[in-house]
Amino acid sequence: MRSAGLLLLCALPASAQVMLLETPAAKAVRCEISMTLAATMKFDRNQRIESLPLAATGTHKYLEQGAQRKYLVARATTSIGAERGERTLAENHRLIAFDRGEPYSPQGPLTRDELSLVSEHFDAMQLSSLLPGKSVAVEGTWPIADQSVARVCLFDGVLKNTFMGKLEEATDTLAVFTISGAAEGLENGAKVKVTVTARGEFDIKTRLVKSIKWEQSDEREQGPVSPAMDAKVTVSIDRALTDETLKSPEVKAASIPHLLQLRHRDAGYELLHERDWHTVAHTETHLVLRLVRSGELIAQATITPWKKTDAQPSDAVKEFVEATQKQPGWVPSKVLSSAVLPSESTRTIFRHVVLGKQDEIEVVQSFHLITASDGRRVVVTCVARSEVLEKLGSRDAALAGAIDFPPAK
């Protein structure tokens, strides 16, 4: 810690200009991030708002160079009411590369939890975009661009932005700056309001933002894949150049779409799916995913392991179709299609698409029965409003087709 007296002794004249611009470093940057969050989640249950406390901490330590990171530590703990949880990275996923801003592991698809762990912490590489990129006098200010606000606040789009930077003080080796303001944006279809105060240090010699403490208050409305929430977040970041280097395995461009998928493993089945399918519920008996594209809820899919069968295929299909008609609140009106889809010989996929009303709302439901050669079965039920069917396209069938069965033990 420097003393106030030393800073005053070495302070630059008020008229002096300081170049606040990070320059690309030939060396890797070592980064350490710690985060704490205290929040209240809000749920609308039968027109009554219920709340639940949420607390979380995160610790990330990594080397960053170019378009890749090597995580030395990546850990997040959460406490929701009485439930506790922890997320970590698999050992073979500690090296993360980026394709057009999307993180992926060259060693194989990430899980949803792993993706959240590496994509939802403060992106320290974006600290350079908070600087003005020009010379500024002490007490000089500059606006923060919408694009930079979107990146540091994890917005899909910015609606309002009053973020401003200010050079508070400087010596010949160190500049202290602040960031403050408010912004409104969209994240996965939910409107978010944030208020930020932050104080950072810029190393004039190495031309690197060496540290920052970022305090943020969030007010989030309920969205397609997240509850309403009021939250306070504190992030502390320390950065330094290092002689350590990163070596990344060669990744062929043709394999990146596969690596950008997410992996899910459950009791009796495995699944690879697009990132637009978000997990909203996961229990011992089912997985619920919602498809959100450009902030719009397109469809909801429920994946459920079903009882193993030795029945003939025709009898199994008849039993399945009868079961689809008995869903609570479901009134079918017209069968749109019913057929076996092309698939590998190790499994069969039967798809049954029906127009009807679910709890008095007109929807189209596609029911998929995926059967392994040994009789294990999984059911994928996808529901979408009629007006968004074109946007759904064949993604429900693709989701069902991605179900696979590991070898039976």
Side-chain angles (χ1 to χ4, degrees):
M1 294 293 290
R2 68 187 188 283
S3 69
L6 179 60
L7 181 63
L8 290 172
L9 180 65
C10 302
L12 295 178
S15 60
Q17 298 279 316
V18 179
M19 174 61 76
L20 295 179
L21 170 68
E22 274 201 355
T23 54
K27 295 182 177 181
V29 176
R30 188 180 183 95
C31 185
E32 298 187 8
I33 303 175
S34 62
M35 181 276 298
T36 60
L37 175 147
T40 302
M41 298 189 296
K42 302 175 183 178
F43 303 90
D44 187 349
R45 302 187 190 279
N46 300 319
Q47 298 183 336
R48 179 182 176 184
I49 302 299
E50 297 182 5
S51 61
L52 194 63
L54 165 65
T57 61
T59 301
H60 295 79
K61 299 180 182 180
Y62 57 83
L63 305 179
E64 188 161 47
Q65 189 171 33
Q68 60 182 356
R69 290 180 190 151
K70 181 180 179 182
Y71 283 89
L72 310 174
V73 176
R75 181 173 60 252
T77 62
T78 58
S79 171
I80 303 176
E83 296 184 6
R84 304 288 186 273
E86 182 174 275
R87 290 176 291 171
T88 58
L89 276 178
E91 284 296 325
N92 63 329
H93 287 166
R94 291 189 176 274
L95 182 63
I96 296 294
F98 291 83
D99 178 68
R100 288 170 291 185
E102 287 288 327
Y104 70 91
S105 167
Q107 299 299 321
L110 301 168
T111 66
R112 171 61 71 179
D113 281 350
E114 288 178 323
L115 176 63
S116 297
L117 198 58
V118 301
S119 66
E120 294 181 3
H121 66 69
F122 195 109
D123 185 357
M125 189 62 78
Q126 299 305 323
L127 288 174
S128 62
S129 71
L130 300 177
L131 300 177
K134 62 181 181 180
S135 295
V136 179
V138 173
E139 297 192 0
T141 62
W142 61 90
I144 309 296
D146 287 355
Q147 186 177 24
S148 299
V149 171
R151 289 173 177 170
V152 297
C153 294
L154 303 179
F155 288 165
D156 300 318
V158 176
L159 303 175
K160 295 181 182 179
N161 167 28
T162 65
F163 275 35
M164 294 290 293
K166 181 180 179 181
L167 178 58
E168 298 287 349
E169 49 192 291
T171 69
D172 55 355
T173 59
L174 187 71
V176 177
F177 66 94
T178 56
I179 304 293
S180 60
E184 294 183 21
L186 298 173
E187 182 183 353
N188 288 327
K191 183 180 287 188
V192 184
K193 297 179 181 180
V194 304
T195 303
V196 167
T197 58
R199 187 176 182 89
E201 295 183 339
F202 178 76
D203 189 316
I204 294 174
K205 182 179 179 180
T206 60
R207 312 212 62 79
L208 186 76
V209 176
K210 60 179 293 186
S211 67
I212 195 167
K213 184 174 182 180
W214 184 278
E215 296 181 336
Q216 178 173 319
S217 296
D218 289 10
E219 183 181 329
R220 297 172 177 261
E221 296 182 1
Q222 182 172 329
V225 295
S226 59
M229 183 187 302
D230 294 332
K232 291 187 179 299
V233 184
T234 299
V235 181
S236 295
I237 302 175
D238 291 294
R239 302 165 78 214
L241 298 180
T242 176
D243 290 328
E244 299 170 276
T245 58
L246 295 180
K247 293 184 179 180
S248 176
E250 183 178 349
V251 178
K252 295 181 179 179
S255 67
I256 291 179
H258 168 72
L259 295 173
L260 286 172
Q261 292 183 304
L262 296 180
R263 173 178 53 84
H264 177 82
R265 291 177 178 168
D266 220 313
Y269 73 91
E270 299 177 345
L271 168 66
L272 285 176
H273 63 82
E274 294 179 335
R275 296 185 176 191
D276 288 341
W277 287 102
H278 297 261
T279 301
V280 295
H282 184 207
T283 71
E284 293 182 356
T285 59
H286 65 271
L287 172 71
V288 180
L289 304 173
R290 284 183 177 171
L291 178 63
V292 177
R293 298 181 65 85
S294 301
E296 181 182 11
L297 175 61
I298 305 298
Q300 177 169 298
T302 302
I303 303 175
T304 310
W306 212 32
K307 54 187 177 181
K308 189 174 180 180
T309 183
D310 296 322
Q312 293 297 314
S314 59
D315 294 334
V317 165
K318 181 179 178 181
E319 176 195 26
F320 175 64
V321 170
E322 290 176 351
T324 66
Q325 299 172 350
K326 299 176 182 178
Q327 287 191 132
W330 170 237
V331 181
S333 60
K334 182 181 179 180
V335 175
L336 301 180
S337 65
S338 192
V340 175
L341 300 181
S343 62
E344 299 143 355
S345 59
T346 57
R347 58 185 175 156
T348 59
I349 304 175
F350 175 73
R351 185 171 187 249
H352 186 61
V353 184
V354 185
L355 174 68
K357 288 187 176 182
Q358 181 68 50
D359 299 324
E360 302 300 323
I361 299 174
E362 185 173 284
V363 297
V364 172
Q365 292 209 68
S366 56
F367 304 94
H368 305 80
L369 176 64
I370 303 97
T371 306
S373 56
D374 62 1
R376 287 178 291 168
R377 298 188 293 181
V378 170
V379 172
V380 179
T381 301
C382 186
V383 57
R385 302 186 314 276
S386 302
E387 61 267 26
V388 297
L389 280 182
E390 186 174 342
K391 296 179 180 179
L392 175 62
S394 61
R395 289 183 176 87
D396 59 330
L399 185 69
I403 296 286
D404 200 3
F405 298 89
K409 296 181 179 179

